[in-house]
Amino acid sequence: MISGAFMVPHPPLIIPEIGRGEERRIQDTIDAYHEVGRRIADLKPETIVLISPHQIMYADYFHISPGKGAKGDFGQFGAGQVKMEATYDTEFVETLCKLAEAGDLSAGTEGERDRRLDHGTMVPLYFINQYWNEYRLVRLGLSGFSLAAHYALGQRIRETAEILEKNVALIASGDLSHRLKEEGPYGYKEEGPEYDRSIMDVMGNGDFGKLLEFPEDFCEKAGECGHRSFTVMAGTLDRTGVLSRRLSYEGPFGVGYGICAYEIQGHDPTRNFRDQYEAKVREQVLKQRANEDEYVRLARRTVEEYVRTGRKPETPEGLPQEMYDSRAGVFVSIKKEGRLRGCIGTIQAVQKSIAEEIIENAVSAAVKDPRFYPVEQDELDKLTISVDVLGATEAIDSMDKLDVKRYGVVVTKGYRRGLLLPNLSGVDTAEEQVAIAKQKAGIREEEEAELERFEVVRHY
């Protein structure tokens, strides 16, 4: 069973040999960490499951550390004399991997690149080991999967603990925003303090359902580190009543450090947050589908038929006449739970009509976008789709003539060409727009490139 859970940060300077006095500026965090250590000693867990953002991270796979154990030290932070060693709970790892596979969750022990303990693991263990060291460790990394998938991993961790009848404590390691101050490691963005206020409210009250609703672009702008760790932890407490206690929050160095503790209060079926979230997503998709125009309906019909049968549909009858008569570049974008799931398009017309352009690019967005694995049947009722029909491109001589809300941009350097659509969430300036388009084209940011702008008609 999960006997307790803790949200903790991992600033290396909290270790005295690294901080050399600077750690005293986060004394509240130090005091709270000692409280966590004492609470874990009271729980006497056989196994500690620790989720670290500094484990190796794959886009489509949760990595679980393999083998019998690992060692580590703080040498990269100038304190190589501070060492530690952990013994892994191999039985727990084996069972968790089997449950993940049975539940169609991509997780396992393959792909390890560095066996050493990372600082996201060692900082929490530095404090825990002062009070309790009679445990075996399970160390997990994060992935590029959705927040709901991270919550699902937590549910598999809980099931594993129950099957093995082990006393398990859960540690979610992760700093908050890294953008709280201009002099901080990544400067200041207004989303930084806003994220920290929001996450400490959510975590301090144990309101875990809201974790799944944080927009991806907001988290990215805030420069957060631990959101996915916290979401995995929330999954381990699915359908569980908890007594939440906020132990500390500080951010003097431009990075937020928050510590919360969760005491188990028994079964609570109303706290099935992933089920509630997915029901809400399905309802939103159904509402959107009811209002989709013919452009999007054609794209959705194409995606669904191709994913289910492997066959591309013929151009149907009954579409608006301009979809048969006109030609244009078209982009089809697919999202799942607010995150991009596939996007493929053409800058200029390739097919004989807009309808055929939509069909071709809808198939490509669903199964041929190299950034994502192909869309699967069980995802179809969770997808939102948009279709952008591009206008003619117009050469411009300055970024001053761009407007990220109105115009998309094409950048060209020799044979390299990249495009970014307008009015994208998280892209707020022309400089950001051009930089991303250059990155997509393989053009270095400092290289000069020809610029073109275009308008789109976006169909939802």
Side-chain angles (χ1 to χ4, degrees), residues 410-418 441 443 448-452:
V410 178
V411 297
T412 305
K413 179 75 172 180
Y415 65 89
R416 293 171 291 171
R417 203 173 195 201
I443 301 170
E448 293 291 330
E450 298 175 7
L451 300 178
E452 298 170 272

Side-chain angles (χ1 to χ4, degrees), residues 248-269:
S248 69
Y249 171 78
E250 295 180 290
F253 305 112
V255 179
Y257 307 132
I259 297 183
C260 295
Y262 304 95
E263 181 180 325
I264 307 304
Q265 299 289 293
H267 184 65
D268 185 346

Side-chain angles (χ1 to χ4, degrees), residues 71-110:
K71 300 177 181 179
D73 63 55
F74 288 99
Q76 70 179 109
F77 303 103
Q81 73 275 23
V82 183
K83 307 174 186 290
M84 64 182 61
E85 184 173 354
T87 300
Y88 291 149
D89 187 333
T90 55
E91 181 186 32
F92 196 102
V93 170
E94 182 180 356
T95 304
L96 176 57
C97 290
K98 288 179 180 177
L99 283 177
E101 183 179 358
D104 294 324
L105 194 61
S106 183
T109 57
E110 297 180 2

